[in-house]
Amino acid sequence: MQKTGAILSKLAWAQNRRDEIPNIELAEEIVATEDREAIAILVKNLSSKAPIRRDCIKTLYEIGDRKPEFIEGHLERFLDLLNSKNNRMQWGATEAISCISRHSPKAVYSHLPVILRAAEKGSVITRDHAVKTLVNIGTQTGHREEIFQMLH
């Protein structure tokens, strides 16, 4: 419980800030220290109240941008968020999935129908990250032609 408080206190909302800098700094710290427990705490708090969960998803995809393998074990949770009614959570999850697809495209490939459905219903940002996911899969697997057809 003490570790949870220490991690959450570094998020922007806890510091009464409206910018994303504290979340980015926390992501960089977690990557530098390879703190998998902190990642699990952030994932757990994706179900918290709005300001906490928004900062958690931001921090998680910033971690994924730097070290996608650190968040790939939480792919299922990000896929669950694609059904969120909260647009920020939906596109944040799509961004995290896009990061994971750079490192583990085969793990993401089998979930393309769910990702593409979310992209169809989602915002422009959601669609952008779904396209990045397709590109990552297409350039790193044997599914190039199939992915090319999806992009048309």
Side-chain angles (χ1 to χ4, degrees):
M1 192 58 114
Q2 190 175 17
K3 173 97 177 197
T4 298
I7 295 300
L8 297 181
S9 71
K10 295 180 180 183
L11 295 172
W13 74 270
Q15 298 177 32
N16 243 355
R17 291 185 52 178
R18 293 186 169 266
D19 64 303
E20 301 284 358
I21 293 171
N23 304 331
I24 295 167
E25 290 173 344
L26 177 57
E28 290 170 345
E29 176 186 323
I30 289 169
V31 168
T33 60
E34 299 184 8
D35 190 347
R36 305 288 177 130
E37 184 181 358
I39 294 169
I41 289 167
L42 293 170
V43 169
K44 182 180 178 196
N45 280 279
L46 290 171
S47 301
S48 293
K49 61 184 178 177
I52 297 171
R53 71 176 179 226
R54 283 193 307 261
D55 287 349
C56 287
I57 194 70
K58 168 68 175 173
T59 305
L60 286 163
Y61 68 69
E62 290 291 341
I63 292 166
D65 187 47
R66 290 154 180 80
K67 284 285 198 179
E69 62 271 26
F70 284 10
I71 64 167
E72 73 181 323
H74 302 285
L75 176 59
E76 292 295 329
R77 181 65 178 112
F78 297 126
L79 290 164
D80 289 344
L81 288 173
L82 294 179
N83 295 317
S84 175
K85 294 185 188 313
N86 182 298
N87 183 44
R88 174 72 168 95
M89 297 306 291
Q90 188 182 76
W91 67 255
T94 311
E95 186 162 354
I97 292 166
S98 173
C99 292
I100 294 167
S101 72
R102 286 190 346 250
H103 184 262
S104 300
K106 290 178 182 176
V108 177
Y109 174 77
S110 63
H111 301 286
L112 280 181
V114 173
I115 296 164
L116 295 176
R117 265 194 311 278
E120 283 178 23
K121 296 185 282 184
S123 68
V124 172
I125 300 169
T126 301
R127 284 185 224 121
D128 286 349
H129 291 296
V131 168
K132 287 180 186 178
T133 299
L134 287 171
V135 170
N136 290 336
I137 291 169
T139 57
Q140 297 181 53
T141 67
H143 302 285
R144 182 174 298 204
E145 193 59 39
E146 177 187 356
I147 298 297
F148 183 75
Q149 293 301 318
M150 289 179 187
L151 289 168
H152 271 91

